[in-house]
Amino acid sequence: GRAIRPEFEFSTAASLQRRLLDDLVHEYSFCLRHLDGAGREFVHRLQARFQIENIKVLLRGLLEHAPFEVVREQLIPLPRELILDAQALLEAETLDAFARGLPGGLPRKQLQSAIAAHHDPAGAFFWEAALDGGYFRGLLDQVERLVAAEKELIEPLVRQEIEKFHLQLAVRGKFNHGYAVESLAPLGVPGSGAAGERFKIMLAANDISAVAKAGLGCVFDELPAAFGTAETASSI
């Protein structure tokens, strides 16, 4: 903390993380004051990523019946246009009611679609993945509205984020949480081109090492040197 922000005293890692998050949120706000058009909408969507994170905090609080006072401390302070009615969401009587209380847009639609399609009880991971999938789908749509020079620079970064989301969805969803491929497939980002095809390969993989290998060249450049050993492959 002293090396990064020497003007502040940090007593915990969490307080340092909170300071860095606040700095990033304010940096986005600064950029938004100097942008217009599609560029402004794109950066606003980047900032709205923190609203999704707050929604996920509230979702976990709802599922765990956590007190509002406890959950409130975990929320990221955001600009007025991204503030949620946190107490109302936390007090929603059902998951459907929670979803209806969210701001309009693809994350809410993706969550509502997941709720409608997945009738068995599911944990927070599943619903959070639906929110993330909606966010990345909207981000990819926003990239298409950028001017050519900006799109050329930004699109590869966004697509790599989607590839990372797909890999984590396959690894955690299938191998850590035990969800069926049929349940996970709709959570991916539709219209993501080659990333969508790789996601199918990742979901069909028989083990985590095969998922990782499918991500070579798109999620990361190379696997760890010891990846080929039995111990490493079984523990990733």
Side-chain angles (χ1 to χ4, degrees), residues 138-149:
L139 191 62
L140 193 59
D141 289 346
Q142 199 65 53
V143 168
E144 295 301 318
R145 300 186 178 96
L146 297 172
V147 298

Side-chain angles (χ1 to χ4, degrees), residues 1-4 12 15-16 21 45-46 49 76 113 115-116 131 135 137 164 169 172 179 184 189 192 224:
R2 286 194 297 270
I4 298 172
T12 65
S15 62
L16 170 60
L21 277 174
R45 194 170 293 274
L46 292 177
R49 175 67 181 171
I76 303 168
S113 295
I115 294 170
L131 290 165
Y135 168 79
R137 180 180 174 181
K164 287 164 56 181
L169 184 54
R172 296 183 61 202
Y179 288 110
L184 294 171
V189 181
S192 53

Side-chain angles (χ1 to χ4, degrees), residues 4-228:
I4 298 172
R5 295 299 301 268
E7 68 273 29
F8 292 100
E9 289 289 336
F10 299 109
S11 58
T12 65
S15 62
L16 170 60
Q17 292 169 343
R18 173 66 63 127
R19 180 72 251 178
L20 295 178
L21 277 174
D22 289 346
D23 289 348
L24 186 53
V25 170
H26 284 105
E27 185 174 348
Y28 281 132
S29 295
F30 172 80
C31 292
L32 287 169
R33 292 198 295 270
H34 301 277
L35 293 170
D36 56 20
R40 190 180 194 283
E41 289 301 313
F42 178 77
V43 173
H44 176 69
R45 194 170 293 274
L46 292 177
Q47 190 182 51
R49 175 67 181 171
F50 298 112
Q51 185 187 62
I52 298 296
E53 295 306 314
N54 279 350
I55 291 172
K56 292 195 292 188
V57 168
L58 291 166
L59 176 60
R60 289 192 292 271
L62 175 72
L63 296 176
E64 296 168 6
H65 307 288
F68 174 68
E69 293 74 17
V70 173
V71 175
R72 180 174 55 188
E73 294 300 315
Q74 302 174 33
L75 297 175
I76 303 168
L78 293 175
R80 182 172 53 189
E81 64 272 17
L82 294 176
I83 292 176
L84 302 159
D85 189 343
Q87 187 157 4
L89 288 170
L90 198 62
E91 293 173 354
E93 294 185 359
T94 65
L95 194 56
D96 283 304
F98 179 91
R100 289 196 300 272
L102 298 179
L106 286 170
R108 184 178 77 177
K109 289 180 181 178
Q110 290 283 88
L111 177 59
Q112 289 177 315
S113 295
I115 294 170
H118 201 81
H119 302 295
D120 298 328
F125 167 82
F126 191 86
W127 311 124
E128 289 178 22
L131 290 165
D132 286 337
Y135 168 79
F136 284 120
R137 180 180 174 181
L139 191 62
L140 193 59
D141 289 346
Q142 199 65 53
V143 168
E144 295 301 318
R145 300 186 178 96
L146 297 172
V147 298
E150 293 173 346
K151 181 180 177 183
E152 183 180 0
L153 292 172
I154 293 170
E155 185 174 15
L157 300 175
V158 172
R159 290 197 175 276
Q160 186 182 35
E161 286 294 309
I162 291 170
E163 300 268 18
K164 287 164 56 181
F165 166 65
H166 283 167
L167 182 137
Q168 293 172 352
L169 184 54
V171 169
R172 296 183 61 202
K174 182 176 178 179
F175 296 101
N176 294 147
H177 293 279
Y179 288 110
V181 170
E182 294 75 16
S183 296
L184 294 171
L187 300 179
V189 181
S192 53
E197 294 303 313
R198 267 188 291 272
F199 183 46
K200 294 177 184 177
I201 294 171
M202 291 174 181
L203 288 178
N206 292 323
D207 54 45
I208 294 177
S209 63
V211 178
K213 288 173 183 174
L216 276 175
C218 50
V219 180
F220 33 67
D221 294 330
E222 59 184 17
L223 298 173
F227 187 82

